[in-house]
Amino acid sequence: MVHQPPSGARDLLPLDVAQKISIERRLQQVFHRWGYHRIITSTLERLETLMAGGAIDRSTLIKLQDAEDGELGLRPELTVAIARATVMRMGKTPWQPQRLYYNANVFRKSPDTHSGGQQEFYQTGVELLGSGGTIADAEVLLLLSECLQALEIDDWHLVIGEAGLTATLLEPFPLNVRSQVRGAIANLDRIGLENLPLSTELRERALLLFDLRGRPEDVFPIVAKLDLDLPQQAALNNLKSAIELLYQCQSKIPNLKSHIHLDLSLIQTFDYYTGIVFEVVSSPKTGQRVLGQGGRYDRLLGLFDPQGQNHPGIGFCLNIEDLHQILLSEGLLAKETPASDFLVVPQTSEAAAAAFVYARKLRESSDLVRVEMDLESRETLEEVREYARDRRIAQIAWVNAEGLPTIETVN
């Protein structure tokens, strides 16, 4: 039908919105405590911006045509847009760490769009720009952990990898199959990996990379046995240092050590990651899903700098829909929209103006009070009370033409 929303789109009703805002507000409080400031970027971007640094698969973009600006697209993620905005709008001042966060919708084509696959998603996340190294990595990972703690999600796993190290470990594979090896590892397709046309030695190497996951203390000794060059060894040492720093801070996040898993087969779908990468995954018993992901990107900002100067960056996004489903299943979200505190009822038609004035006084008495005007001409007082009960309204203010209220508590 013409009046149905388009395929892949959906409406959020008041209860959905109240639950979504509840999640965003709790996370926003955490971001503020860590000194992050909100940034809002354009929903529309030039296609070349969206594609910068291999940010997204072109086939997933929702494109628009504009005669003046050429091809435009709806943002599929926020990191590239924030990198562009920071360099173009804030880059004239001396560089210092920029702590930024966002709440925004993003748009991506779904493979099953024809069957109603979702195309609009809500995300919140942070970007820490202009600061590199282990301490910056640890800040973002600890911030992510505190976000989950603030939402009262207990059963989750933080899966950590190293994009630069993994990329170099893939270099021995011939170019004609390297992308297939990478794809099979990224999608956990062991059978596909075993069936690739590889020599016995390369197949063993591919399967070794595929299995480099588990507790950090178990995986690191296996990696140490590989013939690593100096840059690979440096990347591995940085990863070790970041995880050790997390362990030292675990008293602030209960049982943090048990949540951390190392996975050197972890390959994010975006090509701009250069260092540590990570995903936070929910427990299978609550429906396993990726709640968020992120990583370090130290060459992305240079793509927008007029002099090509690079600045380090790291960030993560959290997927509001997935968080919503987990919190809903755990009974951690409100089951009803907030009720009004007062129903203001003009006792006669001549009392309408006085009732509006009194309702305004109530609203101005507190930032938290909710006040409804009764707009109907009901035949009996009991009908008014019944309406208030149905709406879970605590009190009725009957207002006469002189503006004098009579307050009744609804039972």
Side-chain angles (χ1 to χ4, degrees), residues 74-190:
L74 299 176
R75 61 187 177 207
E77 55 93 55
L78 271 294
T79 299
V80 169
I82 292 174
R84 172 197 56 74
T86 303
V87 172
M88 303 302 293
R89 300 290 300 279
M90 304 169 69
K92 294 181 181 178
T93 58
W95 261 92
Q96 54 186 328
Q98 299 285 344
R99 289 179 169 90
L100 306 171
Y101 81 89
Y102 57 87
N103 296 321
N105 52 352
V106 297
F107 305 86
R108 292 189 296 273
K109 286 182 182 177
S110 171
D112 59 346
T113 299
H114 63 280
S115 60
Q118 190 174 341
Q119 296 190 83
E120 182 179 11
F121 306 86
Y122 290 90
Q123 292 183 346
T124 188
V126 304
E127 307 295 345
L128 173 55
L129 307 179
S131 186
T134 299
I135 296 178
D137 291 348
E139 170 171 321
V140 169
L141 292 172
L142 286 169
L143 173 54
L144 174 59
S145 302
E146 191 169 312
C147 285
L148 298 167
Q149 188 179 21
L151 293 175
E152 301 179 70
I153 298 176
D154 297 321
D155 209 351
W156 52 271
H157 303 291
L158 179 59
V159 183
I160 301 175
E162 221 292 344
L165 175 59
T166 301
T168 59
L169 291 176
L170 288 169
E171 288 178 355
F173 295 93
L175 284 175
N176 63 326
V177 294
R178 189 181 302 169
S179 63
Q180 294 172 274
V181 172
R182 172 178 170 164
I185 293 175
N187 294 302
L188 302 181
D189 183 7
R190 188 183 188 94

Side-chain angles (χ1 to χ4, degrees), residues 153-159 258-259 261 280-291 325-326 329-330:
I153 298 176
D154 297 321
D155 209 351
W156 52 271
H157 303 291
L158 179 59
V159 183
S258 65
H259 290 295
H261 296 257
V280 59
V281 183
S282 63
S283 164
K285 73 178 184 181
T286 56
Q288 188 163 353
R289 62 184 74 221
V290 176
L291 304 179
Q325 290 302 313
I326 293 295
S329 68
E330 293 287 308

Side-chain angles (χ1 to χ4, degrees), residues 264-285:
L264 291 182
S265 69
L266 178 63
I267 301 174
Q268 295 285 31
T269 54
F270 301 149
D271 287 337
Y272 54 62
Y273 289 119
T274 58
I276 192 169
V277 290
F278 48 89
E279 291 181 344
V280 59
V281 183
S282 63
S283 164
K285 73 178 184 181

Side-chain angles (χ1 to χ4, degrees), residues 6-282:
S7 178
R10 65 191 183 99
D11 302 310
L12 297 180
L13 298 179
L15 180 57
D16 302 317
V17 174
Q19 293 170 340
K20 173 178 173 290
I21 289 176
S22 170
I23 296 170
E24 291 176 348
R25 282 180 177 168
R26 279 185 272 177
L27 295 173
Q28 184 171 283
Q29 289 172 355
V30 178
F31 300 154
H32 287 174
R33 288 198 297 266
W34 281 71
Y36 284 71
H37 301 273
R38 187 172 183 181
I39 186 171
I40 298 176
T41 63
S42 172
T43 306
L44 288 175
E45 291 282 355
R46 296 179 187 275
L47 217 56
E48 58 264 31
T49 299
L50 297 178
M51 301 295 296
I56 199 74
D57 182 348
R58 189 184 182 99
S59 67
T60 66
L61 285 173
I62 298 177
K63 292 175 280 189
L64 306 172
Q65 188 70 38
D66 184 275
E68 184 176 333
D69 287 331
E71 281 192 297
L72 304 176
L74 299 176
R75 61 187 177 207
E77 55 93 55
L78 271 294
T79 299
V80 169
I82 292 174
R84 172 197 56 74
T86 303
V87 172
M88 303 302 293
R89 300 290 300 279
M90 304 169 69
K92 294 181 181 178
T93 58
W95 261 92
Q96 54 186 328
Q98 299 285 344
R99 289 179 169 90
L100 306 171
Y101 81 89
Y102 57 87
N103 296 321
N105 52 352
V106 297
F107 305 86
R108 292 189 296 273
K109 286 182 182 177
S110 171
D112 59 346
T113 299
H114 63 280
S115 60
Q118 190 174 341
Q119 296 190 83
E120 182 179 11
F121 306 86
Y122 290 90
Q123 292 183 346
T124 188
V126 304
E127 307 295 345
L128 173 55
L129 307 179
S131 186
T134 299
I135 296 178
D137 291 348
E139 170 171 321
V140 169
L141 292 172
L142 286 169
L143 173 54
L144 174 59
S145 302
E146 191 169 312
C147 285
L148 298 167
Q149 188 179 21
L151 293 175
E152 301 179 70
I153 298 176
D154 297 321
D155 209 351
W156 52 271
H157 303 291
L158 179 59
V159 183
I160 301 175
E162 221 292 344
L165 175 59
T166 301
T168 59
L169 291 176
L170 288 169
E171 288 178 355
F173 295 93
L175 284 175
N176 63 326
V177 294
R178 189 181 302 169
S179 63
Q180 294 172 274
V181 172
R182 172 178 170 164
I185 293 175
N187 294 302
L188 302 181
D189 183 7
R190 188 183 188 94
I191 295 176
L193 195 62
E194 292 175 340
N195 290 328
L196 289 176
L198 299 171
S199 66
T200 301
E201 181 182 355
L202 287 178
R203 181 171 289 105
E204 290 176 356
R205 182 182 183 89
L207 294 174
L208 174 64
L209 296 180
F210 188 91
D211 290 328
L212 286 179
R213 58 172 69 92
R215 296 185 305 172
E217 54 268 34
D218 295 332
V219 176
F220 278 133
I222 299 174
V223 183
K225 294 178 181 179
L226 297 174
D227 185 18
L228 302 180
D229 58 25
L230 290 178
Q232 290 172 328
Q233 189 61 55
L236 185 63
N237 290 340
N238 288 338
L239 186 58
K240 283 183 180 178
S241 298
I243 292 177
E244 287 170 1
L245 187 51
L246 291 181
Y247 285 173
Q248 292 168 17
C249 299
Q250 69 173 329
S251 61
K252 301 296 181 183
I253 307 291
N255 303 314
L256 178 61
K257 187 173 182 179
S258 65
H259 290 295
I260 296 174
H261 296 257
L262 187 62
D263 185 353
L264 291 182
S265 69
L266 178 63
I267 301 174
Q268 295 285 31
T269 54
F270 301 149
D271 287 337
Y272 54 62
Y273 289 119
T274 58
I276 192 169
V277 290
F278 48 89
E279 291 181 344
V280 59
V281 183
S282 63

Side-chain angles (χ1 to χ4, degrees), residues 52-53 83 86-87 91 94-96 128-132 272 274 296-314:
T86 303
V87 172
W95 261 92
Q96 54 186 328
L128 173 55
L129 307 179
S131 186
Y272 54 62
T274 58
R296 172 162 291 285
Y297 45 89
D298 286 349
R299 293 193 291 269
L300 180 60
L301 276 73
L303 298 176
F304 303 105
D305 189 281
Q307 284 76 45
Q309 183 177 356
N310 280 315
H311 302 281
I314 183 173

Side-chain angles (χ1 to χ4, degrees), residues 385-402:
R385 296 185 182 101
E386 190 61 34
Y387 171 81
R389 292 188 194 99
D390 289 343
R391 300 277 293 176
R392 298 176 287 114
I393 300 174
Q395 297 182 90
I396 299 174
W398 308 92
V399 181
N400 63 21
E402 287 73 39

